[in-house]
Structure formats: structure tokens, C-alpha cells
Amino acid sequence: MTLSHSMLAIEISSPGGPDVLQPTSVPVPVPGHGQIIIRVAYAGVNRPDALQRAGAYAPPPSASPLPGLECSGTVVEVGPGVTRWKIGDQVCALLPGGGYAEYVATPEAHALPIPSGVSLKEAACLPETCFTVWSNVVMRGGLRGGERFLVHGGTSGIGTTAIQIAHALGARVFATAGSDEKCQVCRDLGAEAAFNYRETDFVAEMKGFGGANLILDMVGGPYIERNFKALADGGRLVQIAFLQGAKITLNLAELMTRRLVLTGSTLRPQSDLAKAKIAKAVEENIWPMIERGAVKVVMDSEYDLPDAPAAHWRIESGGHVGKIVLRVNP
């Protein structure tokens, strides 16, 4: 097909709040070697998008300055060297940026087929969370069946995904959330117990279960020391964000005497090859879970592309349960 030269996109006019997200017209991307162009059906909305908008998470030098790290849609153009995809294929994809637009470019190895029984809208919710959870909980954190796994923010996009994947792997799953209603959502998704962090001390609760073997945390700040105390001896803490700050004073003696492990990662700056390896693992391990119904998309809301500011207000309110998407070309 012949693509138009320009497209509707959402740009960050200047660092700031959600209102700095403004509709604009920009050139349609041209595929480089090994890249595909996707006509975006839906784009996922994620916390890193809000951080980028606020000026706290700069995109890699080679990435689009437009926000948006995942999408679903149809392949409309393929670059030199592309072997897996052809024009007309429906995919979901992890993006280096640029998802808040009608068309986006991404390496072909970062795109995956839509799992059987999953809609395009649901598929847009999968790449960022599935890549993040699998690479951190399994590849980095080494979660095994029977282990006790605690995830903070259990009703976030990451949280709802992590609960289900860990449960499908046979782990004993625990979660924190900000209300009794949200805690019930966590239990419904497979958590053995969920703790309202406004009313309950998750450290004491986890100690009552013998301590966590693995914790996935995106809160940071004072939670880091508390996470150490909530771990069983030999436990692992995987840090993927710092909503309450990245700088703390921490006595590492406990790490040494109790043989704890503190690690972490962020997805966007990793190499294309590293992301391709994660994509392969996600397709081989999580896609079968989705197709047999063990992992389902939990969706909070959808907004039209020009309403991206409202989507950002929603994700930053903390009231959402599951994923938020932008409707682009459904």
C-alpha cells in the first residue's frame, strides 16, 4: 500500500503535566534495515510514558521522541532484511518509542504474533508488561515453582501480569495494593494473599508466611529497606522503578549476613539483541499461558489518541486497575 507522507501523533510540547501532550502532524517513519512499519490500532499507556513526558526519562538517542512503548496493529511496510513479517500481518510489538501515532517503526524481532483469541485492543496491553515481567521475574529473578513471590502494586499493568504469570509457574503469590477492593482483584487473579498497604504492614505479613523468596518492586524509596526485611534468607529483590525515590541510606550488612540479592533493570535502554532474546522467551513461555487462559489481559480503560492527556491523568491518579490504551486506528 502507498502510505501518506504525514500522520497524526501526540508530541511532548515541553516537560510537564499531562496537558503538555499535544496533537501534531509529523512525517510517517521510514523503515530501516530489519525494521517494520506498523499501522497502529491501539497503543499501550505506561508509567515510563508519563516519566518521559515529565522530563524524567529521556528516550535513547536513536529512538523516536514521541511517547509510546507498545502497540498492536498491521504491518504496512517492511525494510531491507526483514524475513519474518509481510505486509498485512497483524502483530503486537515492543517499541523504542513513537507509539502515540498512526504509524510506528520497530525492529522486526520485537514484534510478536497476536495470541489466539486475543483482540487487537487486548494485544496492545501485552508487550511492555510481558517483556518486563518475564525478564525481571524469571530471567533475572529466577522465580521457581513453589517459591513465595511478592509483587507491589498488584493492580497495575505490571502487577496484574506478574500475579498471573507467577501463579501459572506454580509460585505462591502475594501482592500489595491500595484498597480492600484492589486486594480482592489481586486474589481473584491468583494471589494467595494481598495486603492493603494503607492499613497493613506487608513486612509482618510476609514474615508470617516465612518471608518472600522474590520481590518485584517499583516503589523504591523507603520500601527498599522494608523489602529486605520481608525477604527470606537468600531472597532476591528485583527493582524496576522508583516511584518514591531512587536515593536512600541503606545498611547493607543485612544483605551480607542473610545472603540477599539486590538487582534490577529497565527495559528501554537495552540493546535490540537483548530485547529480541526477551521477545523469543515471551513468545515461547507466556503466549501459551495466554492461549490456554492462564493469563488474561486486565484492562482499565481506553481513550482516543487525541485524549492522551486524559489517559495520563488516569494512570497518574493511581485509581486504575490493569492497562490503559489509546485507540488509534481500530
Side-chain angles (χ1 to χ4, degrees):
M1 64 180 293
T2 301
L3 302 184
S4 60
H5 295 293
S6 63
M7 64 178 181
L8 174 66
I10 301 297
E11 69 174 354
I12 301 169
S13 58
S14 62
D19 291 340
V20 306
L21 296 172
Q22 298 292 326
T24 187
S25 179
V26 299
V28 172
V30 176
H33 189 275
Q35 289 188 329
I36 58 175
I37 301 298
I38 300 169
R39 183 178 186 265
V40 177
Y42 293 88
V45 177
N46 294 283
R47 286 277 184 181
D49 303 340
L51 291 173
Q52 180 180 338
R53 186 210 70 228
Y57 189 33
S62 60
S64 167
L66 301 174
L69 299 177
E70 63 182 346
C71 77
S72 64
T74 304
V75 177
V76 293
E77 194 171 348
V78 298
V82 170
T83 58
R84 181 173 189 183
W85 307 109
K86 63 182 185 301
I87 292 172
D89 286 342
Q90 289 192 331
V91 298
C92 59
L94 186 75
L95 308 173
Y100 291 17
E102 292 182 292
Y103 298 92
V104 67
T106 199
E108 73 157 335
H110 300 175
L112 295 173
I114 308 293
S116 176
V118 173
S119 69
L120 279 170
K121 184 193 304 184
E122 293 169 326
C125 303
L126 294 173
E128 175 73 12
T129 50
C130 288
F131 279 54
T132 298
V133 170
W134 191 264
S135 63
N136 284 285
V137 172
V138 179
M139 296 172 73
R140 183 168 294 273
L143 183 66
R144 299 180 295 274
E147 288 193 312
R148 297 178 295 276
F149 169 63
L150 170 65
V151 57
H152 292 297
T155 54
S156 66
I158 293 291
T160 55
T161 304
I163 289 170
Q164 294 181 84
I165 290 173
H167 181 70
L169 290 172
R172 297 176 61 188
V173 185
F174 304 86
T176 63
S179 71
D180 291 344
E181 292 76 15
K182 286 187 173 184
C183 286
Q184 185 59 52
V185 170
C186 295
R187 289 189 288 270
D188 291 343
L189 290 172
E192 179 176 330
F195 317 121
N196 183 341
Y197 62 78
R198 302 182 194 278
E199 300 176 354
T200 304
D201 179 8
F202 73 83
V203 175
E205 294 289 345
M206 285 309 305
K207 284 184 175 180
F209 286 99
N213 303 111
L214 177 66
I215 298 177
L216 182 67
D217 181 43
M218 61 285 291
V219 181
Y223 265 48
I224 298 176
E225 185 173 10
R226 296 176 69 194
N227 284 330
F228 273 21
K229 297 185 183 305
L231 285 169
D233 288 355
R236 296 94 68 197
L237 169 60
V238 181
Q239 200 72 43
I240 59 170
F242 297 98
L243 296 178
Q244 292 188 13
K247 296 182 179 180
I248 61 167
T249 299
L250 185 64
N251 185 343
L252 293 179
E254 188 171 11
L255 180 145
M256 297 165 62
T257 59
R258 298 181 53 219
R259 304 171 305 286
L260 305 179
V261 174
L262 171 60
T263 185
S265 74
T266 187
L267 185 59
R268 194 176 191 184
Q270 294 188 46
S271 70
D272 286 350
L273 178 59
K275 294 175 188 176
K277 290 179 179 178
I278 298 170
K280 186 174 185 293
V282 165
E283 184 174 1
E284 290 176 350
N285 293 279
I286 300 181
W287 263 218
M289 295 178 183
I290 294 171
E291 292 179 344
R292 69 173 185 263
V295 174
K296 298 179 180 179
V297 173
V298 179
M299 182 172 293
D300 179 82
S301 51
E302 63 177 291
Y303 298 82
D304 288 326
L305 181 61
D307 295 328
H312 276 228
W313 283 115
R314 177 64 178 165
I315 199 169
E316 292 193 323
S317 74
H320 65 292
V321 174
K323 295 285 292 192
I324 300 168
V325 297
L326 297 175
R327 185 170 47 241
V328 186
N329 292 301

